Amino acid sequence: MSMNDDVTAWRYLADEAKAGRLYLDASVATECRDACNRQIDLYEGLREQLKQVRTVTGFGRFDCSELLAQMLGAKAIGGAGDVDTALKEHIEVVGLIRETIEVSVARYETQQQEAKDKQDQLLN
């Protein structure tokens, strides 16, 4: 499954949660949401660290040293298949997972409150 497939799948699930067709147990969902937040924080931290390796030096005065430094720096940020783009894509997917979980939990909690309110009305 490609990253685009992951994004498409989680957008679908987020829409299902918004439409009220996907529910998760609140306690499990809370743990999953917290794990998503930790993962996003980790990826964001890694993206910050990539800025330190964008500029590569120390190859000496060889004919190809500058080209090699540019190629390695581009693998960190800005080149084809760079790590920064991969991390951004992962952040997007984990963000969609978190959104799906949050919507599901909100709907679940609303339904629980509505059921409690109805029960209270019947008892009064």
Side-chain angles (χ1 to χ4, degrees):
M1 183 177 262
S2 73
M3 186 61 66
N4 287 337
D5 291 339
D6 289 342
V7 170
T8 300
W10 282 103
R11 279 198 180 123
Y12 171 78
L13 291 172
D15 290 343
E16 289 295 293
K18 288 175 187 173
R21 294 184 292 265
L22 177 68
Y23 298 95
L24 300 171
D25 179 84
S27 63
V28 172
T30 300
E31 289 180 32
C32 290
R33 183 205 57 217
D34 293 345
C36 287
N37 287 334
R38 286 190 303 273
Q39 197 65 35
I40 288 172
D41 289 345
L42 172 70
Y43 289 154
E44 290 291 353
L46 291 172
R47 288 189 67 216
E48 282 298 313
Q49 290 176 7
L50 280 175
K51 292 176 185 175
Q52 296 173 4
V53 295
R54 178 190 302 184
T55 305
V56 180
T57 60
F59 290 112
R61 295 182 176 258
F62 299 103
D63 292 340
C64 65
S65 62
E66 188 174 319
L67 180 59
L68 180 59
Q70 289 172 356
M71 288 173 43
L72 291 174
K75 277 301 181 186
I77 299 174
D82 67 318
V83 175
D84 187 54
T85 299
L87 289 172
K88 284 191 275 188
E89 291 172 350
H90 286 302
I91 289 168
E92 180 182 6
V93 170
V94 175
L96 288 167
I97 293 169
R98 179 181 59 194
E99 178 185 344
T100 302
I101 291 166
E102 288 173 344
V103 168
S104 177
V105 168
R107 286 209 179 269
Y108 177 81
E109 289 173 349
T110 298
Q111 285 184 342
Q112 293 299 313
Q113 187 60 48
E114 288 172 354
K116 183 181 178 300
D117 293 345
K118 284 180 183 178
Q119 185 178 19
D120 289 347
Q121 288 175 353
L122 291 173
L123 293 175
N124 292 328

